[in-house]
Amino acid sequence: MLNSIRNAELQGKIVLCRLDLNVPIHNGVVLDDTKIIRSLDTIRFLAKNHAKIIVLSHLGRPKGVDKEFSLAPLIPILRKHLDLRIEFSDEVISDKSQNKVNELRNDGIDLLVLENIRFEDGETENDPQLARNLAKYADVFVFDAFGTAHRAHASTVGVCRYLPAYAGFLVENEYDKIITTLKSSYKPKLAIIGGSKISTKIGLVENFLESVDCIVIGGAMVFTFMKVQGIEVGKSLVEDDMLQTAKDLMVKAKNLGVELLFPYDFLIGYSKDKPWLENDIPKVVDSASIPSHAMGLDIGLRTIQLFKDQIQKSQTIIWNGPLGVFENELYRRGTEQIGRSVISRAVSTIVGGGDTVYAIKFLHDSLPPNIHISTGGGATLAMLSGHELPAISTLVDNY
Ligand code: ADP
Ligand code: MG
């Protein structure tokens, strides 16, 4: 259990609230306000409980102060959604910001947004001086930036040393749902893994080998596993420096009694951008028959059925990684069909990974309650890999 804001003493307090407002901005216009909208519950709760709020977030990866990465364009959106007196300080640690914090204390305003925390040098180095200076503004710290929880920065981990720290609603929800599914004792437990590179998913596969009964593998990473078994994969993506790793993982799976399922068939193309069409649809071949000048770009129908049968048998499901090049609609079917199958199965499920979540976004509106689509990207992957998230460790309630 995390130390929740529900248990915090908030009345009359100044709360430093670390959010993930890293939204896409072009020419000063916010292109997608999802992250802002998702943060409103926590802000409203703080305001309703008579706290004054300082909002802190990063945006992009600026090198020092760079107004292209300013949080200023977010202010009109916050004002539109919140019935609060909101101000912006175009600096982080400064007398100007301190004056605005004083206005919060004196009830002149309700919410203050500080400028992009990554404009401060010490942020990504978790500089204690920066953390102390941030903490000086406030009485309480709330962490609700799940997407940054795997990074030990001054505004995520550092400040917790100097203020009582609590989890906001987004962090609490993500953490509880992911832990519940990872620890679920409902078996058989299935992991579905796809995506581009085995090298970015080794921790994930290793962790799943300890806890699941079956792993189905698709996406580009499957070709490294196939090549190691002596199967001709044509021009499909292979990470040659990962062949030994793939071999080791297969041996480990065998020793642990974890079933590994590989595709029976693939939709192929000449390259990622050049489909191999027959009667206007991508050509399908058995997995052992990929021509030398072609690459596997999606799983075929027989594989979809194989994976669906496994999904139907499972009581817990964890999924990361698209099963094909979903960006091209010709090679999207595998990922979509598996998405539909997982959601209609409606057992305890986590779906994570930036591309995976994006690829099935058309399904997000019809989710059963036990299916959690995690928006944490790297933080979600770290959790699924069994790593502790530094910004969350400090919020675990041990009492
Ligand atoms: P996530 O962000 O969900 O963790 P990844 O970043 O690991 O997923 O992988 C997503 C990428 O994998 C997508 O860009 C997709 O096009 C690519 N991909 C999936 N299958 C294949 C394939 N067979 N060949 C090449 N690329 C693939
Ligand atoms: Mg990705």
Side-chain angles (χ1 to χ4, degrees), residues 194-197 200-201 219-220 223 237 272 296-298 320-327 352-356 381:
S196 52
K197 287 187 165 175
T200 60
K201 307 278 165 86
F223 301 111
L237 286 187
K272 242 177 141 171
L297 294 175
D298 194 11
N320 166 255
L323 299 161
V325 180
F326 72 92
E327 294 92 338
D355 290 288
T356 316
L381 288 194

Side-chain angles (χ1 to χ4, degrees), residues 294-339:
M295 58 194 298
L297 294 175
D298 194 11
I299 51 173
L301 277 182
R302 286 173 55 225
T303 307
I304 291 175
Q305 195 53 52
L306 173 75
F307 289 5
K308 276 186 178 174
D309 290 345
Q310 206 59 40
I311 290 165
Q312 282 313 312
K313 277 192 239 164
S314 301
Q315 300 293 341
T316 304
I317 300 172
I318 304 160
W319 177 17
N320 166 255
L323 299 161
V325 180
F326 72 92
E327 294 92 338
N328 181 339
E329 65 179 313
L330 291 168
Y331 300 104
R332 189 178 296 166
R333 185 180 58 189
T335 306
E336 276 189 11
Q337 293 282 318
I338 294 308

Side-chain angles (χ1 to χ4, degrees), residues 224-238:
T224 305
F225 283 101
M226 285 168 55
K227 185 166 176 186
V228 96
Q229 296 171 75
I231 301 169
E232 171 62 52
V233 297
K235 284 199 306 177
S236 306
L237 286 187
V238 168

Side-chain angles (χ1 to χ4, degrees), residues 20-81:
D20 175 4
L21 303 180
N22 184 25
V23 294
I25 294 182
H26 187 64
N27 290 338
V29 178
V30 175
L31 302 179
D32 178 0
D33 62 2
T34 310
K35 287 190 172 183
I36 304 173
I37 305 296
R38 281 166 45 88
S39 299
L40 295 177
D41 278 352
T42 293
I43 297 178
R44 288 199 179 107
F45 179 86
L46 296 173
K48 202 173 116 219
N49 285 278
H50 311 288
K52 296 287 178 182
I53 305 155
I54 302 174
V55 166
L56 203 57
S57 177
H58 73 289
L59 194 139
R61 291 170 186 234
K63 305 230 174 331
V65 178
D66 179 346
K67 286 297 163 188
E68 199 188 313
F69 295 94
S70 173
L71 286 174
L74 280 69
I75 304 302
I77 300 177
L78 287 167
R79 286 198 176 123
K80 188 173 88 190
H81 290 285

Side-chain angles (χ1 to χ4, degrees), residues 238-313:
V238 168
E239 283 170 279
D240 280 313
D241 53 346
M242 285 289 131
L243 288 168
Q244 187 58 43
T245 305
K247 203 174 192 168
D248 295 345
L249 291 172
M250 288 176 70
V251 170
K252 200 166 174 192
K254 194 161 180 220
N255 291 339
L256 290 166
V258 178
E259 188 179 11
L260 295 185
L261 281 183
F262 297 107
Y264 287 155
D265 55 354
F266 289 102
L267 307 188
I268 57 171
Y270 297 105
S271 70
K272 242 177 141 171
D273 312 308
K274 199 164 169 228
W276 182 332
L277 298 180
E278 276 181 359
N279 301 322
D280 295 334
I281 54 168
K283 184 176 168 64
V284 189
V285 297
D286 282 349
S287 51
S289 312
I290 299 175
S292 58
H293 57 303
M295 58 194 298
L297 294 175
D298 194 11
I299 51 173
L301 277 182
R302 286 173 55 225
T303 307
I304 291 175
Q305 195 53 52
L306 173 75
F307 289 5
K308 276 186 178 174
D309 290 345
Q310 206 59 40
I311 290 165
Q312 282 313 312
K313 277 192 239 164

Side-chain angles (χ1 to χ4, degrees), residues 71-270:
L71 286 174
L74 280 69
I75 304 302
I77 300 177
L78 287 167
R79 286 198 176 123
K80 188 173 88 190
H81 290 285
L82 294 165
D83 189 17
L84 297 172
R85 294 166 295 171
I86 299 174
E87 284 221 13
F88 177 62
S89 174
D90 63 1
E91 290 168 357
V92 184
I93 305 295
S94 70
D95 290 344
K96 195 166 164 184
S97 294
Q98 182 60 58
N99 289 338
K100 301 241 182 215
V101 173
N102 296 344
E103 281 187 57
L104 277 177
R105 282 244 185 249
N106 301 329
D107 196 22
I109 56 174
D110 303 312
L111 185 149
L112 169 65
V113 181
L114 296 180
E115 184 54 289
N116 190 344
I117 182 63
R118 289 202 184 154
F119 288 3
E120 290 285 337
D121 281 341
E123 163 64 355
T124 53
E125 286 82 40
N126 191 8
D127 172 32
Q129 189 55 47
L130 174 59
R132 263 195 302 272
N133 285 336
L134 287 169
K136 273 189 211 153
Y137 284 146
D139 310 307
V140 171
F141 178 62
V142 168
F143 180 70
D144 210 18
F146 183 72
T148 65
H150 56 315
R151 311 231 182 263
H153 291 172
S155 73
T156 61
V157 168
V159 278
C160 294
R161 305 231 331 254
Y162 308 104
L163 289 174
Y166 299 88
F169 294 132
L170 281 180
V171 162
E172 189 180 44
N173 182 45
E174 287 275 11
Y175 180 82
D176 287 350
K177 296 269 174 61
I178 295 175
I179 287 290
T180 305
T181 303
L182 284 180
K183 292 193 172 162
S184 160
S185 50
Y186 293 107
K187 287 169 123 6
K189 219 166 169 175
L190 171 68
I192 304 169
I193 304 187
S196 52
K197 287 187 165 175
I198 205 173
S199 50
T200 60
K201 307 278 165 86
I202 300 168
L204 200 71
V205 180
E206 281 189 331
N207 195 37
F208 290 161
L209 284 175
E210 305 288 340
S211 60
V212 305
D213 303 290
C214 176
I215 305 181
V216 304
I217 304 181
M221 65 190 283
V222 77
F223 301 111
T224 305
F225 283 101
M226 285 168 55
K227 185 166 176 186
V228 96
Q229 296 171 75
I231 301 169
E232 171 62 52
V233 297
K235 284 199 306 177
S236 306
L237 286 187
V238 168
E239 283 170 279
D240 280 313
D241 53 346
M242 285 289 131
L243 288 168
Q244 187 58 43
T245 305
K247 203 174 192 168
D248 295 345
L249 291 172
M250 288 176 70
V251 170
K252 200 166 174 192
K254 194 161 180 220
N255 291 339
L256 290 166
V258 178
E259 188 179 11
L260 295 185
L261 281 183
F262 297 107
Y264 287 155
D265 55 354
F266 289 102
L267 307 188
I268 57 171
Y270 297 105

